[in-house]
């Protein structure tokens, strides 16, 4: 059988990071009456559709091989090793994802059908594989069965529909919201003064003096071209008539920077001594600082960004409750316990946290004083928080610079904007495309 390139082996389903669902920090309030796990099972999940509640060891064996393959391993690691523990945890996570997401969809009245699954799979295959043969080779290498593929596509569709239902009630962005954002972030819409400057640089002051003398007689563009070519050692401008266009304050070395922004247009200044040598320069053009006005286009961009942020916050809160709820309903066999199981003994919540924070359905709703399950030091980009990637893409959010569009929601769980979808990334890795 012809070998498949590694990048193609890892490209299949349009939701990267599927193997890892980190609800680190979730702890649960463990009460009496935990259900027992059958001998032939690795876990039991309560309140899910029929057929999904018991995760059997046969399912785990297949998921284990798939997790090892997606981590770039030729075979399952030896039990008892750290590598095996990581692969085992990923396999259990895969199986719990299937139960949790389908359970949540059932509670929200969300479903899909085989026609939707087939249509989505067709699109995935067209985007990631050159032929049906290449797709089948991937299945052979990765250990996926056609049923496994259908399940993963189903989970993708359900997770998208869950997110759409949760975020449809996000608060509408008003004109006042847009105005307030613009005023508070006006500096981000400002463009500083820039100057086009012609200059000659040389470590030999005598040559700079010669250049200045020639320019004092004739400072036309043609003269600058001859003088710069003869005397300047500046590689950025020597062959361009000494011109450095659109220079912003603070970009050049001192004291040259200050001298340029203190000079009048058309004034020949120098020699100016700097660590790089001596300069003589002339300001050719001054473009004043300006603030991008609040045009309809800017309003639209701000409105879109604020709407996405509102949806993200709403969905992040939902993901918080989702993780706590389903963790409290999940019980794992002794040798398969992870931090996503209710009987995970290593999980501990702060002593001062209300017990309701860790109950499946606390009376009166989840208390507002609950600690965040994950300390987010950097906000996620709008549209990147999903059930399969609860922390989203962790990059700083910034107001929209002039001329740029607001970031678009990916619509794919765990996907990175602009990157092809993938599956099977090793735990903790970033999505990678073919």
């Amino acid at each position: 059988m012809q070998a498949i390139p590694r990048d193609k082996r890892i490209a299949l389903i349009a939701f990267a990071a599927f193997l890892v669902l980190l609800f680190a920090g979730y702890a649960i309030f463990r009460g009496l009456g935990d259900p027992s796990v059958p001998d032939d099972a690795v876990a039991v999940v309560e309140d899910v559709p029929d057929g999904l509640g018991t995760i059997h060891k046969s399912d785990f064996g297949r998921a284990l091989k798939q997790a090892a393959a997606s981590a770039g391993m030729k075979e399952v690691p030896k039990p008892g090793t750290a590598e095996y523990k990581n692969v085992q945890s990923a396999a259990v996570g895969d199986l719990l994802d299937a139960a949790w997401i389908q359970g949540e969809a059932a509670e929200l009245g969300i479903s899909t059908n085989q026609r939707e699954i087939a249509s989505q799979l067709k699109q995935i295959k067209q985007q990631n594989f050159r032929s049906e043969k290449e797709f089948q080779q991937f299945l052979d290498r990765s250990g996926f069965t056609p049923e496994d593929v259908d399940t993963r596509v189903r989970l993708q569709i359900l997770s998208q529909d869950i997110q759409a239902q949760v975020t449809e009630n996000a608060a509408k962005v008003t004109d006042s919201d847009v105005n307030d954002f613009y005023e508070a972030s006006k500096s981000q819409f400002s463009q500083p003064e820039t100057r086009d400057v012609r200059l000659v640089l040389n470590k030999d002051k005598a040559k700079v003096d010669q250049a200045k003398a020639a320019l004092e007689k004739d400072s036309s563009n043609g003269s600058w071209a001859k003088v710069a070519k003869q005397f300047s050692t500046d590689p950025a401008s020597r062959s361009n008539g000494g011109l450095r266009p659109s220079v912003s304050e603070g970009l050049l070395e001192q004291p040259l920077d200050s001298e340029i922004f203190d000079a009048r247009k058309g004034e020949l200044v120098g020699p100016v001594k700097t660590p790089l040598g001596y300069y003589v320069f002339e300001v050719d053009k001054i473009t004043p600082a300006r603030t991008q006005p609040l045009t309809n286009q800017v309003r639209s961009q701000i409105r879109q960004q604020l709407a996405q942020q509102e949806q993200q916050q709403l969905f992040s809160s939902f993901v918080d409750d989702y993780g706590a709820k389903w963790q409290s309903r999940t019980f794992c066999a002794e040798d398969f316990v992870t931090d996503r199981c209710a009987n995970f003994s290593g999980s501990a919540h702060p002593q001062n946290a209300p017990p309701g924070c860790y109950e499946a359905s606390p009376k009166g709703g989840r208390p507002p004083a609950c600690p965040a399950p994950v300390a987010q030091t950097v906000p996620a980009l709008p549209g990147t928080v999903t059930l399969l990637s609860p922390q989203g893409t962790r990059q700083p959010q910034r107001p929209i610079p002039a001329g740029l569009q607001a970031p678009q929601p990916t619509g794919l769980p765990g996907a990175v904007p602009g990157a092809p979808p993938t599956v099977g990334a090793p735990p903790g890795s970033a999505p990678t495309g073919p």
Side-chain angles (χ1 to χ4, degrees):
M1 182 179 297
Q2 182 180 1
I4 304 175
R6 180 179 182 276
D7 54 355
K8 285 295 182 182
R9 293 203 310 268
I10 63 172
L12 173 63
I13 308 300
F15 45 98
F18 180 83
L19 296 178
V20 184
L21 180 58
L22 295 178
F23 285 110
Y26 280 121
I28 60 169
F29 178 72
R30 296 177 56 200
L32 300 176
D34 292 354
S36 61
V37 180
D39 292 339
D40 65 341
V42 300
V44 170
V45 182
E46 296 179 321
D47 301 328
V48 294
D50 292 342
L52 298 176
T54 301
I55 300 174
H56 296 280
K57 289 182 179 179
S58 58
D59 299 321
F60 170 77
R62 189 171 64 254
L64 189 68
K65 294 178 181 178
Q66 294 169 0
S70 66
M73 301 177 180
K74 294 183 179 180
E75 57 185 20
V76 176
K78 185 178 180 180
T81 63
E83 291 79 6
Y84 180 85
K85 184 176 181 181
N86 290 336
V87 173
Q88 181 191 47
S89 180
V92 172
D94 265 356
L95 297 169
L96 294 183
D97 282 338
W100 288 17
I101 292 174
Q102 291 179 87
E104 186 69 30
E107 291 190 2
L108 295 177
I110 294 172
S111 63
T112 187
N113 56 51
Q114 195 58 41
R115 174 181 289 184
E116 288 181 300
I117 294 172
S119 176
Q120 184 73 39
L121 178 58
K122 180 180 179 180
Q123 180 180 351
I124 290 166
K125 290 163 70 173
Q126 289 174 344
Q127 291 174 344
N128 293 282
F129 297 95
R130 292 172 293 185
S131 66
E132 179 66 24
K133 179 180 179 181
E134 188 176 78
F135 173 69
Q136 292 299 326
Q137 288 176 332
F138 169 81
L139 296 186
D140 291 340
R141 295 281 185 130
S142 63
F144 286 108
T145 66
E147 292 76 15
D148 295 330
V149 172
D150 281 357
T151 295
R152 296 208 172 195
V153 177
R154 179 182 296 107
L155 295 179
Q156 173 186 315
I157 295 172
L158 293 177
S159 67
Q160 291 173 338
D161 290 347
I162 290 171
Q163 181 166 356
Q165 179 170 312
V166 170
T167 58
E168 69 181 0
N169 294 321
K172 302 299 182 183
V173 179
T174 66
D175 289 341
S176 178
D177 294 331
V178 173
N179 293 336
D180 290 345
F181 179 88
Y182 177 79
E183 291 300 326
S185 309
K186 187 171 288 186
S187 62
Q188 300 294 331
F189 295 90
S190 298
Q191 298 175 342
E193 175 186 317
T194 61
R195 296 190 170 203
D196 294 354
V197 59
R198 294 186 183 274
L199 54 83
V200 169
L201 165 65
N202 203 300
K203 290 186 177 181
D204 188 341
K205 182 177 180 297
K207 292 185 177 181
V208 174
D209 287 336
Q210 286 181 266
K212 183 178 181 180
L215 293 168
E216 285 176 336
K217 294 179 182 179
D218 180 5
S219 62
S220 65
N221 291 349
S223 178
W224 265 102
K226 293 178 182 179
V227 171
K229 186 176 181 179
Q230 181 179 357
F231 295 106
S232 184
T233 59
D234 178 36
S237 64
R238 182 176 183 273
S239 61
N240 190 34
L243 180 65
R244 282 200 180 187
S246 302
V247 176
S248 299
E249 191 168 8
L251 293 182
L252 300 177
E253 71 270 25
Q254 293 291 4
L256 177 65
D257 190 80
S258 296
E259 292 278 0
I260 287 176
F261 282 87
D262 287 340
R264 297 187 299 272
K265 179 182 176 182
E267 178 185 9
L268 191 63
V269 179
V272 178
K273 183 179 180 181
T274 76
L276 297 181
Y278 294 88
Y279 286 90
V280 61
F281 70 87
E282 177 183 305
V283 175
D284 193 56
K285 178 183 177 182
I286 299 175
T287 302
R290 63 181 292 268
T291 298
Q292 187 179 15
L294 190 55
T295 61
N296 288 338
Q297 180 183 7
V298 174
R299 283 184 176 278
S300 177
Q301 292 172 346
I302 293 175
R303 189 181 302 276
Q304 183 179 27
Q305 179 172 337
L306 293 180
Q308 290 172 354
Q309 290 175 350
E310 177 65 27
Q311 291 172 359
Q312 175 185 295
Q313 292 172 1
L314 186 63
F315 192 68
S316 294
S317 177
F318 167 81
V319 169
D320 180 0
D321 293 335
Y322 163 88
K325 175 177 70 176
W326 287 105
Q327 188 178 21
S328 70
R329 299 177 181 182
T330 301
F331 301 88
C332 301
E334 182 177 354
D335 294 335
F336 300 91
V337 176
T338 73
D339 59 2
R340 294 179 61 181
C341 307
N343 52 325
F344 175 58
S345 61
S347 182
H349 60 263
Q351 294 183 355
N352 60 347
C357 295
Y358 307 102
E359 295 176 358
S361 302
K363 294 182 179 179
R366 192 164 182 267
C370 294
V374 179
Q376 295 202 16
T377 57
V378 179
L381 285 176
T384 65
V385 175
T386 71
L387 291 182
L388 299 171
S389 181
Q391 295 190 54
T393 301
R394 306 296 294 283
Q395 296 179 14
Q397 298 180 49
R398 305 181 187 279
I400 308 167
L404 295 182
Q405 294 295 323
Q408 299 295 318
T410 65
L412 302 177
V416 173
T422 64
V423 69
S429 68
T432 56

